[in-house]
Amino acid sequence: MFKNTRLSAVLAAVLFSVTAATALVSAPAFADAPAAAAASAPAAAPAADAAAAAPEASAPAAHTEKEEVENPFGFEAVWNGGFVSRGTLIILSLMSMGSWYIIVTKLIDQMKIFKQSKETSAKFWKAPSIAAGSAALKEGSPFRFIAESGTKATVHHDGALLEQIDLSTWVTMSIQRAVDKVQSRLQDGLSFLATVGSTAPFIGLFGTVWGIYNALINIGMTGNASIDKVAGPVGEALIMTAFGLFVAVPAVLGYNWLVRRNKSAMEDVRSFSADVHSVLISGAMSTSEAGRAAGAKKIG
């Protein structure tokens, strides 16, 4: 029914996930460079030497520079934090790539349906028959699939059991089944987005709790509770929560956006199916009445 190239969606999913993961890498810290000249000035220097050293000491103080210091509590430290932290990061990364893959592929499907809807309005209804109109549409078009399903239903209505169903009901059932298949195809993957949006923050929170637990255990074992020993590991553990939000927010927004676009697409599909149903039923009834009339003339 739909023919899509998935390679572009895979590349887009990997690109978005890598970008989100890169944003979590801690920025390098900065520290003030000490004023070496001022610190080296002796306190008990003569007055003449102090007056001469004053301009030299004030210059570095006025232009304090920031030197880059490597942050030991970054994304790499989280990755090396053990199998639990590493497994949590892998799960969140897979969920992020899967979410972006579904968002991109569903968006491509919806764009194709909107384009095919315009083509159907321009080509299909100008054809002399339903079969000719179906042939004018592209292969894989959901509108062509619905039209062909309705046409087959009017032709293949035989069998001991199927003959008990009137033609109008049989055509209605066939077209409705085709519409349901199109809707099911559009909704593929949306449940995954809903699952990611609801569970990713808790998976990230689990990683944070586990990281803080290990940090507190290490602090208790070493007995050193200074601010540098507490803030670093705790901040490192909070990266997990941030990563969980990076995964969950696009999934939730993408799910709501795709659902809203699906409703618009299905409105076009249902309107087309209703029109096709009316044309098929009126044509079938006219053919049936003409056949009965011809049979009555022969009998007379």
Side-chain angles (χ1 to χ4, degrees), residues 157-173:
H157 184 221
D158 51 2
L161 296 179
L162 296 180
E163 288 178 353
Q164 300 178 12
I165 305 175
D166 61 280
L167 182 60
S168 177
T169 304
W170 174 249
V171 173
T172 303
M173 291 170 56

Side-chain angles (χ1 to χ4, degrees), residues 110-120 138 143:
Q110 292 172 350
M111 292 174 63
K112 285 185 176 182
I113 286 184
F114 290 135
K115 181 180 179 180
Q116 291 165 354
S117 177
K118 295 179 180 179
E119 293 179 353
T120 301
K138 293 182 179 180
F143 299 96

Side-chain angles (χ1 to χ4, degrees), residues 24-30 69 71:
L24 294 176
V25 179
S26 299
F30 292 92
V69 179
N71 185 4

Side-chain angles (χ1 to χ4, degrees), residues 98-128:
S99 299
W100 283 111
Y101 172 79
I102 292 173
I103 291 173
V104 173
T105 53
K106 293 294 104 180
L107 182 60
I108 293 174
D109 288 344
Q110 292 172 350
M111 292 174 63
K112 285 185 176 182
I113 286 184
F114 290 135
K115 181 180 179 180
Q116 291 165 354
S117 177
K118 295 179 180 179
E119 293 179 353
T120 301
S121 301
K123 298 179 180 180
F124 183 83
W125 299 113
K126 295 180 181 180

